Amino acid sequence: MSGCPYFEKRHLLFKNKPPTTEEDEDASQAGVNKASKGGIIYGDYLQLDKIVSAQVLQSEVKGNKIHDEHLFIVTHQAYELWFKQILFELDSVREIFISGHVRDERNMLKVNTRIHRIVMIFRLLVDQFAVLETMTALDFFDFREYLSPASGFQSLQFRILENKIGVPDNMRVPYNRRHYRDNFKGHESELLLTTEQEPTLLKLVEEWLERTPGLEADGFNFWERLEINIFDGLNQEKEKIEKMPDSEDREELMAELVKQKELFTSLFDEKRHDHLLSKGERRLSYKALQGALMIYFYREEPRFQVPFQLLTSLMDIDTLMTKWRYNHVCMVHRMIGSKAGTGGSSGYHYLRSTVSDRYKVFVDLFNLATFLVPRHWVPKLNPKDHTFLYMAECCDSSYCSSEDSD
């Protein structure tokens, strides 16, 4: 009769296991309880008495305690704590740019690490909706009346985060036909106005991209070389197509080539770029776009590997913020349908209007893929002549000279 192979041979698993000695047991208990000697302990260090007592259920205050309101509060408090951490990391990165310390390229590791940390936090925030969605629409309905007029739109930290990253004021969707700041009063409104006037991450990255080595007209002159190579390549493609016999394929290829030529003509037209910039269809300056595209094409070169990672992480932030908004829209639709929000907005319909490119800060970085060309069209670099790719800029006076030197 056959049996379970594991249980038949389970004695072999422990056959060669050495017996536990008294010495081993003593080693597991060899530590010293330092807390017994005084000093700050875990709960005091984290001020847990304040954190774990901050969940005041309005349903309970009104004499009708609803179980799931506790989950609702804890989840949103967790969001706000993570927003605070994101702002903490973002401010430190902005300070590195503002102070000029980013000119010392050794500081780029610190920038990348902190931006990547923001990315990982946003991944967590996107996934956190799954916990909140364990609550059904009826569960939420049971205590929703106690929330009004509180609303997620009133999250001051999230609005500050949008401002500091670089969401343009003129691209925001009005809230009940009013400016978003009108929903905040006193100090909060003043704080939002202040953050609107500070250098945004977008602006600081733009200035950094404009300094990309290799853009100099009296140096490698990447932009002019790229323009020459691309139009030479397009002309060669045209000659190949013209030699083809008449057919639908030939017509399609020629039509596509015309579109490509129009696309690249607009890319190298600075006035066209500035026009798109004024309409909000582009966010980076003409020179910053050149720098971003250069980093994109030469990302495998030593000096551009870290900058390319930064640009990738910035796109990740945009992507995850869009996913966060979308998950929020889906959750609200699921919980309240088409009802008005507790703060007075149109609810689902308002939130749905915010899931668009108008809230994407680094949309130009996504659009770089539009301008990809065959590798052999990219201007060639000679390591002997173009040493800027292997010689990073270092300024000892700025490297780790700020108070934030970890």
Side-chain angles (χ1 to χ4, degrees):
M1 181 176 177
S2 62
C4 174
Y6 168 75
F7 283 106
E8 285 181 352
K9 299 182 179 180
R10 66 186 186 278
H11 64 283
L12 297 177
L13 296 173
F14 307 100
K15 184 176 181 181
N16 298 320
K17 184 179 179 181
T20 303
T21 65
E22 191 174 318
E23 184 179 342
D24 291 333
E25 292 180 354
D26 289 343
S28 69
Q29 300 297 316
V32 177
N33 184 6
K34 294 183 179 180
S36 63
K37 298 180 179 179
I40 193 167
I41 60 174
Y42 182 79
D44 295 337
Y45 177 70
L46 297 177
Q47 299 191 50
L48 292 180
D49 56 331
K50 296 179 182 179
I51 295 175
V52 300
S53 62
Q55 295 74 43
V56 180
L57 280 64
Q58 291 302 303
S59 60
E60 185 175 16
V61 171
K62 300 295 186 343
N64 182 30
K65 182 179 179 180
I66 305 299
H67 178 87
D68 278 17
E69 187 182 359
H70 192 277
L71 172 67
F72 187 82
I73 292 173
V74 168
T75 303
H76 284 78
Q77 287 176 337
Y79 274 126
E80 291 296 331
L81 283 172
W82 283 123
F83 290 158
K84 183 173 184 178
Q85 185 64 36
I86 290 173
L87 287 169
F88 184 75
E89 303 295 347
L90 181 58
D91 282 342
S92 71
V93 169
R94 288 171 59 248
E95 179 55 34
I96 292 173
F97 278 98
I98 292 170
S99 65
H101 292 178
V102 74
R103 287 181 177 274
D104 190 313
E105 294 180 38
R106 291 172 294 181
N107 282 315
M108 287 305 298
L109 177 61
K110 189 185 295 183
V111 169
N112 261 8
T113 299
R114 293 177 185 177
I115 290 293
H116 179 66
R117 184 176 295 163
I118 292 173
V119 169
M120 298 310 293
I121 293 173
F122 266 119
R123 291 192 194 283
L124 181 65
L125 297 186
V126 169
D127 291 341
Q128 191 168 293
F129 279 103
V131 179
L132 200 54
E133 288 174 346
T134 61
M135 178 174 60
T136 67
L138 187 57
D139 294 331
F140 181 54
F141 180 83
D142 288 340
F143 65 87
R144 184 173 183 257
E145 62 179 297
Y146 302 114
L147 306 180
S148 185
S151 165
F153 184 86
Q154 298 157 7
S155 171
L156 178 65
Q157 289 195 118
F158 190 73
R159 301 304 155 208
I160 290 175
L161 174 59
E162 289 177 326
N163 287 345
K164 291 190 174 187
I165 288 178
V167 173
D169 184 59
N170 63 342
M171 297 296 285
R172 285 182 178 275
V173 178
Y175 186 80
N176 291 348
R177 298 186 177 86
R178 297 175 64 189
H179 190 275
Y180 86 100
R181 210 183 325 112
D182 291 343
N183 294 275
F184 297 86
K185 297 179 180 179
H187 173 68
E188 291 187 348
S189 180
E190 292 174 3
L191 186 57
L192 286 169
L193 181 59
T194 299
T195 59
E196 287 176 18
Q197 297 167 345
E198 293 174 352
T200 65
L201 181 62
L202 172 64
K203 182 63 178 175
L204 295 167
V205 168
E206 177 186 71
E207 292 172 355
W208 169 71
L209 286 171
E210 289 174 346
R211 298 194 301 269
T212 301
L215 294 181
E216 305 87 355
D218 58 349
F220 180 60
N221 200 359
F222 163 73
W223 201 241
E224 183 177 310
R225 288 170 181 248
L226 181 67
E227 182 178 9
I228 292 170
N229 284 13
I230 286 177
F231 285 103
D232 282 350
L234 290 172
N235 288 333
Q236 290 172 17
E237 289 295 314
K238 183 181 179 182
E239 290 174 4
K240 289 180 183 178
I241 295 171
E242 288 174 340
K243 293 178 181 178
M244 293 173 62
D246 289 341
S247 65
E248 287 187 10
D249 288 344
R250 182 179 183 274
E251 289 180 8
E252 289 177 3
L253 288 171
M254 189 59 76
E256 180 60 30
L257 186 69
V258 169
K259 290 180 183 178
Q260 287 291 303
K261 193 165 186 177
E262 290 174 353
L263 172 70
F264 286 107
T265 298
S266 69
L267 173 64
F268 293 104
D269 185 343
E270 186 172 358
K271 290 183 179 179
R272 169 70 174 164
H273 178 92
D274 291 342
H275 175 67
L276 294 173
L277 199 62
S278 67
K279 291 172 62 180
E281 294 181 22
R282 286 190 183 164
R283 306 288 172 81
L284 294 173
S285 69
Y286 188 57
K287 192 167 185 180
L289 183 68
Q290 296 174 25
L293 199 56
M294 184 171 186
I295 292 170
Y296 206 89
F297 279 131
Y298 298 109
R299 62 192 178 277
E300 295 170 355
E301 300 295 342
R303 194 171 185 182
F304 288 157
Q305 289 175 8
V306 173
F308 178 73
Q309 290 171 357
L310 175 59
L311 298 187
T312 301
S313 292
L314 294 174
M315 287 191 286
D316 287 341
I317 289 176
D318 256 344
T319 297
L320 290 165
M321 288 190 75
T322 302
K323 286 182 178 180
W324 190 88
R325 293 180 196 277
Y326 179 73
N327 282 8
H328 190 201
V329 170
C330 291
M331 186 192 69
V332 167
H333 199 195
R334 174 178 173 175
M335 293 295 183
I336 67 171
S338 298
K339 292 179 183 176
T342 51
S345 75
S346 58
Y348 162 72
H349 297 289
Y350 166 75
L351 292 172
R352 186 179 63 180
S353 69
T354 67
V355 184
S356 66
D357 281 357
R358 63 195 300 159
Y359 279 87
K360 265 187 183 177
V361 176
F362 299 100
V363 65
D364 287 355
L365 300 182
F366 289 84
N367 289 332
L368 291 179
T370 309
F371 308 113
L372 290 180
V373 295
R375 287 180 182 263
H376 65 274
W377 289 12
V378 179
K380 295 292 184 289
L381 288 162
N382 186 332
K384 293 181 180 178
D385 298 329
H386 309 119
T387 56
F388 66 86
L389 283 175
Y390 309 94
M391 296 173 63
E393 186 177 357
C394 299
C395 311
D396 289 336
S397 60
S398 68
Y399 180 63
C400 291
S401 64
S402 66
E403 292 181 5
D404 180 16
S405 58
D406 51 23

